[in-house]
Amino acid sequence: EARGSLAARAERNAGARVALAGALMAQHRFAEARAQADTLFAAEPGRSSFRALLGELQMETGDYYGARATFGSLLSSSASLGVAPRLARWMELTGHTPDARRILYRAAHDAEARGDLPREQVAWFHLRVGDLELRNGRLDAAAKAFRAGLAAHPEDYRLLGEMAKLAAARGEWNAALELGGRAIAQVLDPATLAVMSDAALASGDSAKAGEYARVMEVSVRRQTGSLHRGWGLFLLDRGARVDQVARQAEADLRARPDIYGYDLLAWARHKQGRDADAWLAARQALRLGTRDAQLFYHAGMIAAARHDTASARRYLAAALEVNPHFHPVQAREARAALRSLE
């Protein structure tokens, strides 16, 4: 629909171009979305929402030099609802989590106070708060944000999927499966299916875990964009198709050299037993100072495999400090590895 609108009228049709950029991002077609953001910015460089969209695509494509300049110019616009979530993500990516939290809470409050926003959009701002809190192990705060989102837009599949992830972080496997089931009844989201597979496996139902994994693969294969990193990590964590994921991660990095691409390559190299190469990729994944438990855990386990005890201790401890519930299995493995290193 957006492409049709642009084909009919390419000039002065920013709404269709923004919609097209969003659709392309949802399909993980970030290079194409970046082209749309560049066009919007070139036409109206003074419009903060277009600048923020460009910054988001710069982050996604690994253009951190450009993103730093873009978001630096947006600091005075942090109260804008079109800027706040993207600026907060940049703050989080560069290790400024308290600033990200402050921006997102204010944005959610302002969105709730406005009477002209669709309720689905209001719920999305609460989702962003909950995502941040969940990534940082603040489970009660995440639950509160997700409940506020569902109050705004009941049965929102995105919020239900995140609540499934929250339940899994708490070890509540039946709740994770029930919430995830409500979410995937609407949309077969790969991330939610991964949570459900983990929850089924943890509760002893390996057949059901395999079924969710197969549905997840079908969902991922429907995407036409770049490698789905969540699927790649899902396979690596199970020791499946390691060489294939490593090849895909290398190819993906050539088009999209961001820190999470390097993290995926690092984990693939580790699973291949190539820990010297894995360490080089892990260092690239950590180069922005991002405080992400997954990045720290991967770096710590790779360092341990290289017998770099000091680095292994530092990164594994950091993973558990950021989020002691970052993964239903790997958080326990991080604690066990720390004990063995002592």
Side-chain angles (χ1 to χ4, degrees), residues 246-264:
R247 288 193 300 272
Q248 291 177 326
E250 275 196 327
D252 185 49
L253 269 174
R254 287 194 285 272
R256 190 184 171 201
D258 69 325
I259 62 171
Y260 289 100
Y262 277 105
D263 176 61
L264 178 60

Side-chain angles (χ1 to χ4, degrees), residues 158-182:
R158 302 163 304 179
L159 285 155
L160 291 171
E162 289 302 302
M163 289 193 74
K165 189 185 299 182
L166 171 63
R170 288 174 163 162
E172 299 168 355
W173 310 122
N174 289 335
L177 290 167
E178 189 271 330
L179 289 160
R182 287 160 59 189

Side-chain angles (χ1 to χ4, degrees), residues 16 20 32-33 59 98 105 201 225 232 234 237 241 265 267 278 342:
L20 178 57
E32 294 172 72
M59 282 191 289
Y105 269 94
L201 194 62
F234 184 87
D237 289 341
R241 307 184 207 173
L265 180 62
W267 202 231
E342 292 168 358

Side-chain angles (χ1 to χ4, degrees), residues 95-119:
H96 300 96
T97 306
D99 292 324
R101 181 175 289 114
R102 174 180 53 78
I103 291 169
L104 284 178
Y105 269 94
R106 182 173 64 184
H109 175 272
D110 292 349
E112 192 71 64
R114 283 179 51 172
D116 60 331
L117 289 182
R119 299 305 289 169

